[in-house]
Structures are given as C-alpha cells and as structure tokens.
C-alpha cells in the first residue's frame, strides 16, 4: 500500500528466475513466473510457484493529455509453496498485510483490501491528507479527496488502471487486466492461487452475474471452469468445490480462508477486529471504521461498509480518532457514566460537585456567624 505494506510472509528467496535483481520494465515485459501446480479433486492446488514479482502488464497511469506515465517496481525472485505453511487447515485468517494469493498468469502479488496508511502530505500535493492503516483502498481514496480536494490527490500513490501499485507490485482489487472482466455469461476464469491452495476467480458466476452467496471470505462452493495459461499449464473443470471470487465490493479479493458460516465467525479469526476504530470524513460522508477487520458481508448482512452520516465538511482535513469499544460492541462504561466525565477545570464531575458543596457549606457557616454576632 501507500506506506509500504510489505510482502507476503510465505515466500522464500529463489534463484530460479532468469534475472534476480534490478527494475521491472514498466511495460510488463520483464514479468516471469514458473507454475508447477496440480489441482486436487477437492479443488485445492498443490505445488510451487516461482515469480520475479513484476507486473505482467503496463504499470502506470494516464496523466494530463491522455499520456501514459509508466512506473517501476523491483525484481525480487521468490518461491511459494502451495498450500503455504500455516494455511493448510481452514477456516483461518488471511494475511492482513502482504500477499494472500498470487496471480496465475504473472505470479503477481494479490493483497487484501487494506492500505498500510498515508501520513500527512504523502498522497496529496498540497501537504494535507492522511489515511489510517487498515482502511480499504477505495475508502482511503475517498478520505483523501475529502481532506485535500480531488485535484490535489496524488493518484500515482493509489491504484493504477489494473488495480495494482507499489513495490512489490500488487493488486488490491479485481485483476481486471488478467482476463476479460466484462460479463460474458460464462464463469470467470481462474486468476490467482490463494495461499490455502484454493482458486481465486474473477467477478462473474456462470449465469453472467456476480455470485450472490459469497461468504465473508469471498468464497462459495460450486463449479469452476477449466483453465490453461500462456505456458500451456492446464487445470480441469471441477464441480462443487469451494473457491473464491473477486468482487466489486470489499474485501475485493479475499477476506479470510474459508469457508465460514457468518461474519461473526470471520471476525473470530482476526484479533484485529473490534479493537481499532477510526472516525473520519470521506467524499460521501462520515465513516466509523473497524480497521484491519476484513469481514464485510455474508447472507445479506454487512459490516464496516456504510457511511454513518452525510454530514461532513468536504475539502477540509479531518482528524482520525481511535476508539476502544467493549466486547458487546457498545460504548465503554466511562462513556455511559456521567460521574466519570471531566469538567473544564480538570476535575471530574464528582470532584467538581463535591468542591461546590464544600464552598456552599462555608458560605452558610459564615452567614450564620455574622447573624449571631449582630444579635
């Protein structure tokens, strides 16, 4: 992500790549991968994938005048064992940072939805704009627009036209440049292999629409099509296997390694859920966000996906405030208990009240003494 969200922890350095160091070509021509995987009857792929982690398509953005501005990442040859250690038994948490899958056509890193965060001025040309780590990329972009004004956002720090960026180059959303992403009426092809050995497919189900029954991990059970890559590596069509889809809503790629029965079950896999809340303005309104919690929707329920209020001042930088909520999801006892509130003079309301009563008692004693002296 913007602050450098690191590489996957399931890779080891390899010397198998033809070139093992240097810059990746911005036109995608230096991408190299070697896939030696087999697909089991249960839909789980096993074997190894070696990649130099270069993008297999042009990396850059269209700038003013429609000119393509190329960018570069660095060659880093790694080998990945599938399934990766620690992810053989599911359900289990997917990596919050770093690779959680690798594209089948180019060996490119596929990340989850979250940015590592931007410090003030890092992603805006006017020196403003922040984004907390653990916020998904589109929401982060919307916050930067609210903070800085759209004309001041440095989109070179955000996703390119293929939904990737940074070094190592990695995707945060649908791998649209790796397949015909428009709905054709067919099930989308295999686009990546997850670290748990399951396949990640594109946006569409076999009926030409997005699948309607994805769990909070972004997976479901059903048929998948056969696949052959550019190097002639083939995998057969399979029926009734659990697999993942990319999506146009978060988590966009993979939330967790499933299956899971509910958002609640997904959240139990991540100690980062329900502990780090931030409140901020976006271009659409105010947001209350549970950072680094990739459990967004299942069975008609949603979490962490809505704008709380449209009442935000767009164009002025807003501060993020972290909150800690109780396990029940409500406010802490200190928030509910007026006796613990702090007054303007630094005293708690109980201390302030006690001081006021003591002052009144002193006045009454003085008044009584004066009356007795007069009489």
């Amino acid at each position: 992500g913007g602050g450098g969200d690191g590489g996957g922890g399931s890779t080891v350095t390899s010397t198998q790549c033809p070139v093992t160091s240097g810059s990746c070509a911005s036109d995608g021509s230096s991408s190299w991968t070697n896939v030696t995987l087999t697909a089991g009857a249960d839909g789980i792929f096993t074997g190894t994938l070696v990649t130099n982690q270069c993008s297999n398509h042009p990396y850059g953005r269209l700038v003013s005048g429609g000119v393509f501005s190329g960018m570069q990442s660095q060659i880093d040859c790694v080998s990945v064992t599938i399934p990766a250690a620690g992810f053989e038994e599911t359900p289990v948490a997917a990596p919050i940072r770093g690779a959680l899958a690798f594209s089948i056509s180019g060996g490119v890193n596929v990340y989850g939805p979250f940015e590592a965060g931007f410090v003030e001025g890092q992603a805006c040309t006017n020196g403003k704009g922040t984004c907390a780590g653990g916020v998904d990329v589109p929401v982060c972009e919307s916050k930067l627009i609210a903070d800085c004004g759209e004309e001041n956002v440095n989109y070179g720090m955000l996703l390119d036209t293929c939904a990737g960026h940074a070094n190592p180059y990695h995707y945060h959303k649908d791998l649209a440049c790796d397949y015909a992403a428009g709905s054709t009426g067919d099930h989308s092809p295999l686009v990546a292999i997850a670290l748990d050995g399951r396949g990640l497919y594109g946006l569409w189900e076999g009926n030409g629409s997005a699948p309607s029954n994805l769990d909070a991990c972004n997976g479901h059970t059903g048929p998948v099509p056969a696949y052959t890559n550019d190097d002639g590596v083939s995998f057969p069509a399979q029926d009734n296997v659990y697999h993942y889809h990319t999506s146009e809503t978060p988590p966009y790629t993979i939330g967790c390694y499933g299956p899971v029965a509910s958002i609640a079950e997904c959240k139990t896999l991540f100690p980062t859920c329900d502990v780090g809340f931030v409140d901020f303005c976006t271009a659409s309104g105010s947001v209350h966000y549970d950072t680094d919690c990739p459990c967004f929707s299942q069975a008609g329920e949603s979490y962490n996906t809505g704008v709380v209020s449209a009442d935000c001042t767009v164009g002025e930088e807003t501060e993020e405030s972290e909150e800690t909520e109780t396990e029940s999801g409500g406010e802490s006892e200190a928030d509910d208990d007026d006796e613990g509130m702090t007054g303007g003079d630094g005293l708690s309301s109980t201390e302030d009240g006690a001081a006021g009563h003591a002052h009144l008692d002193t006045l009454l004693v003085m008044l009584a003494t004066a009356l007795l002296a007069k009489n």
Side-chain angles (χ1 to χ4, degrees):
D5 32 6
S10 301
T11 62
V12 295
T13 299
S14 174
T15 59
Q16 295 183 45
C17 302
V19 179
T20 57
S21 63
S23 297
C24 301
S26 60
D27 64 1
S29 61
S30 57
S31 174
W32 183 90
T33 186
N34 183 35
V35 177
T36 54
L37 296 170
T38 58
D42 55 1
I44 296 178
F45 294 85
T46 58
T48 59
L49 182 149
V50 182
T51 173
N52 66 1
Q53 301 189 79
C54 292
S55 169
N56 60 322
H57 50 71
Y59 170 30
R61 300 187 66 88
L62 290 175
V63 294
S64 59
V67 177
F68 183 80
S69 176
M71 302 177 187
Q72 286 186 322
S73 56
Q74 298 298 305
I75 294 172
D76 185 9
C77 188
V78 296
S79 176
V80 189
T81 299
I82 303 293
F87 302 112
E88 304 95 330
E89 299 293 330
T90 60
V92 66
I96 290 291
R97 301 283 189 273
L100 47 72
F102 288 85
S103 71
I104 192 67
S105 62
V108 178
N109 291 266
V110 179
Y111 283 27
F114 300 126
E115 274 294 346
F118 294 107
V119 298
E120 189 172 50
Q122 185 180 8
C124 290
T125 58
N126 60 358
K128 297 182 178 182
T130 62
C131 184
V135 173
D136 70 80
V137 176
V139 170
C140 179
E141 180 176 335
S142 186
K143 182 185 186 298
L144 292 172
I145 292 172
D147 285 353
C148 310
E150 187 169 8
E151 70 280 3
N152 297 311
V153 175
N154 178 6
Y155 285 97
M157 298 292 292
L158 302 175
L159 302 185
D160 68 5
T161 52
C162 293
H165 69 164
N167 182 49
Y169 183 85
H170 57 270
Y171 302 109
H172 281 287
K173 297 178 68 179
D174 178 48
L175 287 62
C177 293
D178 277 11
Y179 72 108
S183 176
T184 63
D186 298 323
H187 192 290
S188 291
L190 179 71
V191 294
I193 304 295
L195 294 181
D196 67 344
R198 300 286 184 180
L200 172 64
Y201 294 77
L203 293 170
W204 310 111
E205 195 58 29
N207 56 8
S209 61
S212 60
N213 61 343
L214 296 179
D215 64 13
C217 296
N218 242 24
H220 71 163
T221 298
V224 295
Y227 174 82
T228 301
N229 72 3
D230 294 338
D231 297 324
V233 177
S234 295
F235 304 115
Q238 292 185 294
D239 294 322
N240 207 40
V241 295
Y242 183 78
H243 60 281
Y244 306 105
H245 280 268
T246 60
S247 58
E248 294 180 325
T249 56
Y252 303 110
T253 57
I254 294 172
C256 53
Y257 298 130
V260 293
S262 63
I263 292 174
E265 183 181 4
C266 174
K267 290 171 70 174
T268 65
L269 304 176
F270 294 92
T272 47
C273 288
D274 291 325
V275 295
F277 292 85
V278 291
D279 294 279
F280 52 85
C281 283
T282 70
S284 301
S286 64
V287 172
H288 182 64
Y289 202 99
D290 189 358
T291 57
D292 283 333
C293 186
C295 308
F296 291 95
S297 63
Q298 182 166 346
E301 297 183 4
S302 62
Y303 179 73
N304 224 21
T305 58
V307 171
V308 176
S309 168
D311 184 19
C312 271
T313 303
V314 176
E316 295 183 5
E317 188 169 359
T318 55
E319 294 185 0
E320 293 155 352
S321 60
E322 293 193 3
E323 299 177 2
T324 301
E325 297 195 1
T326 61
E327 291 182 359
S328 64
E331 296 179 344
S332 65
E333 291 181 3
D335 292 331
D336 289 335
D337 189 352
D338 288 340
E339 292 182 355
M341 295 177 64
T342 301
D345 58 0
L347 297 173
S348 71
S349 59
T350 52
E351 293 169 334
D352 195 29
H357 285 302
H359 184 58
L360 179 61
D361 290 344
T362 301
L363 290 175
L364 290 173
V365 170
M366 292 174 63
L367 179 61
T369 302
L371 289 173
L372 288 172
K374 184 176 181 179
N375 292 332

